[in-house]
Amino acid sequence: MTEAERDAYHAEKMKKKKVARDRILATKTEEKGLLIVHTGKGKGKSTAAFGMVFRALGNGMRVGVVQFVKGVWNTGERDALDKFPGQVTINAMGEGFTWDVADRQRDLAAAAKAWEQARALIADPSYDMVLLDELNICLRYDYLPIAEVVEALKNKPADKHVIVTGRNAKDELIEIADLVTEMTEIKHHFRAGVKAQKGIEF
Amino acid sequence: MTEAERDAYHAEKMKKKKVARDRILATKTEEKGLLIVHTGKGKGKSTAAFGMVFRALGNGMRVGVVQFVKGVWNTGERDALDKFPGQVTINAMGEGFTWDVADRQRDLAAAAKAWEQARALIADPSYDMVLLDELNICLRYDYLPIAEVVEALKNKPADKHVIVTGRNAKDELIEIADLVTEMTEIKHHFRAGVKAQKGIEF
């Protein structure tokens, strides 16, 4: 690359950054932290949330994640998130879940601990976005009181984005959400006997 | 961090990596590149694809992206992808689109060029995953021949993952896909007058 090419490259990059910044500033007065719900039986609920997390990280935002149930956040996600040191906090409380009837007390304790962590991240002004991954499943099994969760999310800081994922989102949650997307499975390769794939399922 | 703590940290990290690698190897013989379609009118189609791209990058895979229509791949995504130099190639052919009746010839040329790029990425064995973002919209407006696209995707290398996004996926495409997810909008904040948000829409 010649010096002139480098200059042109830089000018182009700066121009793009300016356009982006101007657009951000133009909408600044209208900004509002959103409560977003991804539900439905299809794939992509947590993956779309994961995409939003990366978009936010790319924008220099700080993101907190609480993983309520051990799930899609595996090696690939973790290794990718390691590229943003200091910008993201992950609480994989779901590791404590057993989903074993005999151990329901332990599951309840794990859910309560995860929720406590979620509340702390939502209250912490240094986080711009909080992802409550698979919170819906805890609510569905009444591992957490829906009234308390709804009350906390309704009273979240105005500028904070909160994303809740998991099938069977409760009506009370849908009611207070700004954006609800349902992922529906039309066709799935597992039915055809194909195994879990690197880069797809983990 | 003391030396002993560092050792323990490293051992833990290596253990995790080994578990991940073992799991990959265990499924190796069953692996098959998937054709995945994200469609529907709801949000999250490209964002979920974006999440899959990051998961793949975190797994050390190489990913090619063709953006058929200028869309959701903005500053946040670009800056986040910059964290994976050498692993990802982005072709934003959509910049050439005008969606102007008077300029249809130019749009057709842009679609043809994007598709040519897509074919090259799919054929290139150094890419593990190829995202054809908003290809569906080009197919819907017959900017590309569906028969030719279906033929090419049916004959893609067996181990390659291809993700196609965009509303109104054609039946011919759904027919040959391994995994199809429909994103349905249940509730949207734009209706309530809230503007596009950093970290959410861009």
Side-chain angles (χ1 to χ4, degrees):
Chain A
M1 209 188 259
T2 68
E3 202 61 20
E5 281 169 346
R6 209 183 299 264
D7 285 351
Y9 174 78
H10 181 77
E12 178 63 18
K13 194 151 185 176
M14 285 303 106
K15 203 177 108 191
K16 279 186 183 162
K17 273 197 194 295
K18 189 185 176 313
V19 168
R21 199 172 45 237
D22 286 351
R23 187 166 46 180
I24 290 165
L25 290 175
T27 61
K28 203 74 183 172
T29 54
E30 315 282 322
E31 275 193 14
K32 172 184 179 293
L34 301 174
L35 175 60
I36 296 168
V37 177
H38 292 172
T39 192
K41 290 183 185 169
K43 290 183 75 73
K45 297 183 289 292
S46 291
T47 307
F50 188 63
M52 297 179 89
V53 165
F54 273 102
R55 183 185 293 154
L57 293 173
N59 272 313
M61 295 164 87
R62 290 191 76 229
V63 182
V65 176
V66 181
Q67 194 183 341
F68 280 81
V69 176
K70 196 178 170 178
V72 300
W73 294 73
N74 294 305
T75 330
E77 281 88 352
R78 295 302 187 100
D79 286 359
L81 290 169
D82 282 350
K83 301 270 183 180
F84 301 86
Q87 270 183 266
V88 60
T89 301
I90 308 175
N91 296 283
M93 313 304 285
E95 308 285 337
F97 268 95
T98 58
W99 294 110
D100 178 342
V101 205
D103 248 331
R104 190 163 179 278
Q105 285 309 315
R106 202 179 126 184
D107 284 358
L108 281 167
K113 201 172 156 199
W115 174 240
E116 193 185 313
Q117 195 59 52
R119 291 191 82 131
L121 287 169
I122 291 168
D124 185 338
S126 76
Y127 290 94
D128 304 288
M129 178 184 282
V130 178
L131 166 57
L132 308 179
D133 196 45
E134 298 288 1
L135 170 61
N136 286 341
I137 204 160
C138 285
L139 293 171
R140 188 192 181 193
Y141 289 100
D142 294 322
Y143 276 25
L144 289 169
I146 180 73
E148 186 188 322
V149 170
V150 163
E151 193 60 25
L153 294 178
K154 258 169 78 174
N155 296 311
K156 72 173 177 59
D159 56 353
K160 183 136 331 186
H161 299 300
V162 177
I163 312 170
V164 176
T165 71
R167 52 175 72 187
N168 300 109
K170 290 220 171 190
D171 291 344
E172 295 93 321
L173 184 65
I174 289 174
E175 181 69 30
I176 62 162
D178 298 293
L179 171 63
V180 181
T181 304
E182 184 171 32
M183 277 72 169
T184 311
E185 180 185 300
I186 295 186
K187 198 171 174 182
H188 200 304
H189 58 285
F190 282 172
R191 294 213 191 104
V194 179
K195 282 214 176 178
Q197 308 275 310
K198 177 174 80 154
I200 303 295
E201 274 87 21
F202 61 91
Chain B
M1 212 188 259
T2 68
E3 202 61 20
E5 281 169 345
R6 210 183 300 264
D7 284 351
Y9 174 78
H10 182 77
E12 178 63 18
K13 194 149 185 175
M14 286 303 106
K15 203 177 107 190
K16 280 186 183 162
K17 275 198 194 295
K18 189 186 176 312
V19 168
R21 199 171 47 236
D22 287 351
R23 187 167 46 181
I24 289 164
L25 290 176
T27 61
K28 202 75 185 174
T29 53
E30 315 282 323
E31 275 193 13
K32 172 185 179 293
L34 301 174
L35 175 59
I36 296 168
V37 177
H38 292 172
T39 192
K41 289 184 185 168
K43 290 184 74 72
K45 297 182 290 291
S46 291
T47 307
F50 188 63
M52 296 179 90
V53 165
F54 273 102
R55 184 185 293 153
L57 293 172
N59 272 313
M61 294 163 87
R62 289 191 76 228
V63 182
V65 176
V66 181
Q67 194 183 342
F68 280 82
V69 176
K70 196 178 169 177
V72 300
W73 293 74
N74 294 304
T75 330
E77 281 87 352
R78 295 302 185 100
D79 286 358
L81 291 169
D82 281 350
K83 301 269 182 180
F84 301 85
Q87 270 183 266
V88 60
T89 301
I90 308 175
N91 295 283
M93 313 303 285
E95 308 284 338
F97 268 95
T98 58
W99 294 109
D100 179 343
V101 204
D103 248 331
R104 191 163 178 277
Q105 285 309 317
R106 202 178 127 183
D107 284 357
L108 282 166
K113 200 170 157 200
W115 174 239
E116 193 186 314
Q117 194 59 52
R119 291 192 82 130
L121 287 169
I122 292 168
D124 185 338
S126 75
Y127 289 95
D128 305 288
M129 177 184 283
V130 177
L131 167 56
L132 307 180
D133 195 46
E134 298 288 1
L135 170 62
N136 286 340
I137 204 160
C138 285
L139 293 172
R140 189 193 180 191
Y141 289 100
D142 294 322
Y143 276 24
L144 289 170
I146 180 72
E148 185 187 322
V149 170
V150 163
E151 193 60 24
L153 294 178
K154 256 168 80 175
N155 296 312
K156 72 174 177 58
D159 57 353
K160 185 138 327 189
H161 300 299
V162 177
I163 312 169
V164 176
T165 72
R167 52 175 73 187
N168 300 109
K170 290 221 171 188
D171 290 344
E172 295 94 321
L173 184 64
I174 289 174
E175 181 68 30
I176 61 162
D178 298 293
L179 171 62
V180 180
T181 304
E182 183 172 32
M183 277 72 169
T184 310
E185 179 184 303
I186 296 187
K187 199 172 172 181
H188 200 304
H189 57 284
F190 283 172
R191 294 214 190 103
V194 180
K195 282 212 175 177
Q197 309 275 310
K198 176 173 80 155
I200 303 294
E201 274 87 20
F202 61 92

